[in-house]
Short mmCIF file of all heavy atoms in Angstrom, two decimals:
data_model
loop_
_atom_site.label_atom_id
_atom_site.label_comp_id
_atom_site.label_asym_id
_atom_site.label_seq_id
_atom_site.Cartn_x
_atom_site.Cartn_y
_atom_site.Cartn_z
N ALA A 1 -17.31 30.86 -116.83
CA ALA A 1 -15.91 30.37 -116.93
C ALA A 1 -15.25 30.38 -115.55
O ALA A 1 -14.49 29.47 -115.22
CB ALA A 1 -15.12 31.19 -117.93
N LYS A 2 -15.53 31.39 -114.73
CA LYS A 2 -14.96 31.46 -113.40
C LYS A 2 -15.43 30.25 -112.57
O LYS A 2 -14.64 29.63 -111.87
CB LYS A 2 -15.42 32.75 -112.70
CG LYS A 2 -14.71 34.00 -113.15
CD LYS A 2 -15.20 35.19 -112.34
CE LYS A 2 -14.59 36.51 -112.80
NZ LYS A 2 -15.08 37.66 -112.06
N TRP A 3 -16.70 29.94 -112.66
CA TRP A 3 -17.26 28.80 -111.93
C TRP A 3 -16.58 27.50 -112.44
O TRP A 3 -16.20 26.65 -111.64
CB TRP A 3 -18.75 28.71 -112.09
CG TRP A 3 -19.50 29.48 -111.06
CD1 TRP A 3 -19.74 30.82 -111.03
CD2 TRP A 3 -20.16 28.96 -109.88
NE1 TRP A 3 -20.49 31.17 -109.94
CE2 TRP A 3 -20.74 30.02 -109.21
CE3 TRP A 3 -20.25 27.69 -109.34
CZ2 TRP A 3 -21.45 29.89 -108.01
CZ3 TRP A 3 -20.98 27.51 -108.16
CH2 TRP A 3 -21.55 28.61 -107.53
N HIS A 4 -16.45 27.36 -113.74
CA HIS A 4 -15.86 26.16 -114.34
C HIS A 4 -14.46 25.96 -113.81
O HIS A 4 -14.07 24.86 -113.37
CB HIS A 4 -15.88 26.28 -115.83
CG HIS A 4 -15.22 25.17 -116.55
ND1 HIS A 4 -15.88 23.99 -116.89
CD2 HIS A 4 -13.96 24.98 -116.98
CE1 HIS A 4 -15.06 23.15 -117.49
NE2 HIS A 4 -13.86 23.74 -117.58
N ASP A 5 -13.67 27.02 -113.85
CA ASP A 5 -12.27 26.94 -113.41
C ASP A 5 -12.18 26.65 -111.93
O ASP A 5 -11.30 25.88 -111.50
CB ASP A 5 -11.54 28.23 -113.77
CG ASP A 5 -11.44 28.43 -115.29
OD1 ASP A 5 -11.62 27.45 -116.04
OD2 ASP A 5 -11.14 29.57 -115.71
N THR A 6 -13.04 27.32 -111.15
CA THR A 6 -12.99 27.16 -109.68
C THR A 6 -13.38 25.71 -109.31
O THR A 6 -12.76 25.07 -108.45
CB THR A 6 -13.91 28.15 -109.00
OG1 THR A 6 -13.55 29.46 -109.40
CG2 THR A 6 -13.80 28.03 -107.50
N TRP A 7 -14.43 25.21 -109.96
CA TRP A 7 -14.87 23.84 -109.69
C TRP A 7 -13.75 22.85 -110.05
O TRP A 7 -13.46 21.93 -109.31
CB TRP A 7 -16.16 23.53 -110.50
CG TRP A 7 -16.87 22.29 -110.13
CD1 TRP A 7 -16.34 21.03 -110.01
CD2 TRP A 7 -18.27 22.14 -109.82
NE1 TRP A 7 -17.30 20.11 -109.65
CE2 TRP A 7 -18.50 20.75 -109.54
CE3 TRP A 7 -19.34 23.01 -109.78
CZ2 TRP A 7 -19.77 20.28 -109.22
CZ3 TRP A 7 -20.58 22.53 -109.49
CH2 TRP A 7 -20.81 21.18 -109.18
N ASP A 8 -13.14 23.03 -111.22
CA ASP A 8 -12.03 22.17 -111.61
C ASP A 8 -10.89 22.19 -110.58
O ASP A 8 -10.36 21.16 -110.23
CB ASP A 8 -11.50 22.60 -112.97
CG ASP A 8 -12.29 22.00 -114.14
OD1 ASP A 8 -13.16 21.15 -113.88
OD2 ASP A 8 -12.07 22.42 -115.28
N ALA A 9 -10.57 23.39 -110.16
CA ALA A 9 -9.45 23.53 -109.19
C ALA A 9 -9.75 22.82 -107.86
O ALA A 9 -8.84 22.25 -107.25
CB ALA A 9 -9.16 25.00 -108.96
N GLU A 10 -11.03 22.87 -107.46
CA GLU A 10 -11.41 22.26 -106.19
C GLU A 10 -11.62 20.76 -106.29
O GLU A 10 -11.59 20.01 -105.33
CB GLU A 10 -12.69 22.91 -105.62
CG GLU A 10 -12.49 24.37 -105.21
CD GLU A 10 -11.76 24.48 -103.89
OE1 GLU A 10 -11.51 23.44 -103.24
OE2 GLU A 10 -11.43 25.64 -103.50
N GLY A 11 -11.91 20.28 -107.54
CA GLY A 11 -12.11 18.84 -107.74
C GLY A 11 -13.37 18.30 -107.11
O GLY A 11 -13.38 17.14 -106.66
N PHE A 12 -14.45 19.09 -107.09
CA PHE A 12 -15.68 18.66 -106.47
C PHE A 12 -16.40 17.63 -107.32
O PHE A 12 -16.36 17.68 -108.57
CB PHE A 12 -16.63 19.84 -106.24
CG PHE A 12 -16.17 20.81 -105.20
CD1 PHE A 12 -16.15 22.19 -105.48
CD2 PHE A 12 -15.75 20.38 -103.96
CE1 PHE A 12 -15.74 23.10 -104.52
CE2 PHE A 12 -15.30 21.30 -102.99
CZ PHE A 12 -15.32 22.68 -103.30
N ASP A 13 -17.11 16.72 -106.64
CA ASP A 13 -18.10 15.89 -107.30
C ASP A 13 -19.44 16.52 -107.30
O ASP A 13 -20.21 16.45 -108.28
CB ASP A 13 -18.15 14.52 -106.65
CG ASP A 13 -16.88 13.70 -106.82
OD1 ASP A 13 -16.65 13.23 -107.95
OD2 ASP A 13 -16.12 13.56 -105.84
N PHE A 14 -19.78 17.21 -106.19
CA PHE A 14 -21.05 17.88 -106.04
C PHE A 14 -20.89 19.14 -105.20
O PHE A 14 -19.93 19.27 -104.46
CB PHE A 14 -22.09 16.99 -105.29
CG PHE A 14 -22.45 15.71 -105.98
CD1 PHE A 14 -21.88 14.52 -105.60
CD2 PHE A 14 -23.38 15.71 -107.01
CE1 PHE A 14 -22.20 13.31 -106.21
CE2 PHE A 14 -23.72 14.51 -107.64
CZ PHE A 14 -23.15 13.34 -107.23
N LEU A 15 -21.86 20.01 -105.34
CA LEU A 15 -22.01 21.14 -104.40
C LEU A 15 -23.31 20.96 -103.63
O LEU A 15 -24.28 20.42 -104.16
CB LEU A 15 -22.07 22.49 -105.13
CG LEU A 15 -20.75 22.95 -105.84
CD1 LEU A 15 -20.99 24.27 -106.53
CD2 LEU A 15 -19.62 23.04 -104.83
N LEU A 16 -23.34 21.47 -102.41
CA LEU A 16 -24.51 21.43 -101.58
C LEU A 16 -24.86 22.86 -101.13
O LEU A 16 -23.94 23.62 -100.76
CB LEU A 16 -24.28 20.59 -100.33
CG LEU A 16 -23.99 19.10 -100.54
CD1 LEU A 16 -23.56 18.46 -99.22
CD2 LEU A 16 -25.22 18.39 -101.09
N THR A 17 -26.13 23.21 -101.16
CA THR A 17 -26.60 24.50 -100.63
C THR A 17 -28.00 24.30 -100.07
O THR A 17 -28.63 23.26 -100.30
CB THR A 17 -26.67 25.60 -101.74
OG1 THR A 17 -27.84 25.39 -102.54
CG2 THR A 17 -25.47 25.64 -102.58
N VAL A 18 -28.48 25.29 -99.40
CA VAL A 18 -29.93 25.33 -99.11
C VAL A 18 -30.61 25.70 -100.41
O VAL A 18 -30.06 26.42 -101.25
CB VAL A 18 -30.26 26.37 -98.00
CG1 VAL A 18 -29.63 25.99 -96.70
CG2 VAL A 18 -29.86 27.79 -98.41
N PRO A 19 -31.86 25.28 -100.62
CA PRO A 19 -32.60 25.75 -101.81
C PRO A 19 -33.07 27.18 -101.64
O PRO A 19 -33.16 27.95 -102.60
CB PRO A 19 -33.82 24.77 -101.88
CG PRO A 19 -33.50 23.68 -100.93
CD PRO A 19 -32.58 24.24 -99.89
N HIS A 20 -33.35 27.53 -100.42
CA HIS A 20 -33.85 28.89 -100.08
C HIS A 20 -33.46 29.17 -98.65
O HIS A 20 -33.28 28.23 -97.85
CB HIS A 20 -35.37 28.89 -100.22
CG HIS A 20 -36.00 30.27 -100.19
ND1 HIS A 20 -36.32 30.89 -99.03
CD2 HIS A 20 -36.34 31.13 -101.21
CE1 HIS A 20 -36.88 32.11 -99.31
NE2 HIS A 20 -36.86 32.26 -100.63
N ALA A 21 -33.29 30.41 -98.31
CA ALA A 21 -32.86 30.74 -96.95
C ALA A 21 -33.94 30.42 -95.89
O ALA A 21 -33.64 30.29 -94.70
CB ALA A 21 -32.49 32.23 -96.87
N LEU A 22 -35.19 30.34 -96.35
CA LEU A 22 -36.32 30.16 -95.44
C LEU A 22 -37.09 28.88 -95.78
O LEU A 22 -37.03 28.40 -96.89
CB LEU A 22 -37.27 31.34 -95.49
CG LEU A 22 -36.70 32.75 -95.28
CD1 LEU A 22 -37.78 33.77 -95.51
CD2 LEU A 22 -36.12 32.89 -93.87
N PRO A 23 -37.83 28.33 -94.80
CA PRO A 23 -38.88 27.34 -95.16
C PRO A 23 -40.00 28.07 -95.93
O PRO A 23 -39.88 29.27 -96.27
CB PRO A 23 -39.35 26.84 -93.80
CG PRO A 23 -38.38 27.38 -92.80
CD PRO A 23 -37.80 28.63 -93.39
N ALA A 24 -41.09 27.39 -96.16
CA ALA A 24 -42.24 28.01 -96.83
C ALA A 24 -42.56 29.35 -96.10
O ALA A 24 -42.60 29.43 -94.88
CB ALA A 24 -43.43 27.10 -96.82
N ILE A 25 -42.83 30.38 -96.88
CA ILE A 25 -43.08 31.72 -96.29
C ILE A 25 -44.59 31.94 -96.09
O ILE A 25 -45.40 31.31 -96.76
CB ILE A 25 -42.48 32.81 -97.18
CG1 ILE A 25 -43.15 32.86 -98.55
CG2 ILE A 25 -40.98 32.64 -97.30
CD1 ILE A 25 -42.74 34.02 -99.43
N PRO A 26 -44.92 32.80 -95.14
CA PRO A 26 -46.35 33.13 -94.91
C PRO A 26 -47.00 33.69 -96.18
O PRO A 26 -46.39 34.46 -96.90
CB PRO A 26 -46.32 34.12 -93.79
CG PRO A 26 -45.00 33.97 -93.14
CD PRO A 26 -44.05 33.57 -94.24
N ALA A 27 -48.26 33.38 -96.40
CA ALA A 27 -48.97 33.98 -97.51
C ALA A 27 -49.01 35.47 -97.34
O ALA A 27 -49.18 36.00 -96.24
CB ALA A 27 -50.42 33.44 -97.51
N GLY A 28 -48.77 36.18 -98.42
CA GLY A 28 -48.77 37.64 -98.40
C GLY A 28 -47.45 38.31 -98.00
O GLY A 28 -47.42 39.53 -97.84
N SER A 29 -46.42 37.48 -97.83
CA SER A 29 -45.14 38.05 -97.37
C SER A 29 -44.07 38.14 -98.46
O SER A 29 -42.95 38.49 -98.19
CB SER A 29 -44.58 37.21 -96.20
OG SER A 29 -44.22 35.90 -96.64
#
């Protein structure tokens, strides 16, 4: 509900983020 209300208040069409903080990680990490 917090997200819903915040999104409404901001009037966004979309949000953008990174999918992950890193590129592909080394095997075993």
Side-chain angles (χ1 to χ4, degrees):
K2 286 182 182 178
W3 271 80
H4 177 86
D5 294 343
T6 305
W7 192 309
D8 275 352
E10 293 284 353
F12 292 131
D13 292 289
F14 297 101
L15 292 180
L16 298 170
T17 76
V18 296
H20 193 274
L22 306 175
I25 63 174
S29 67

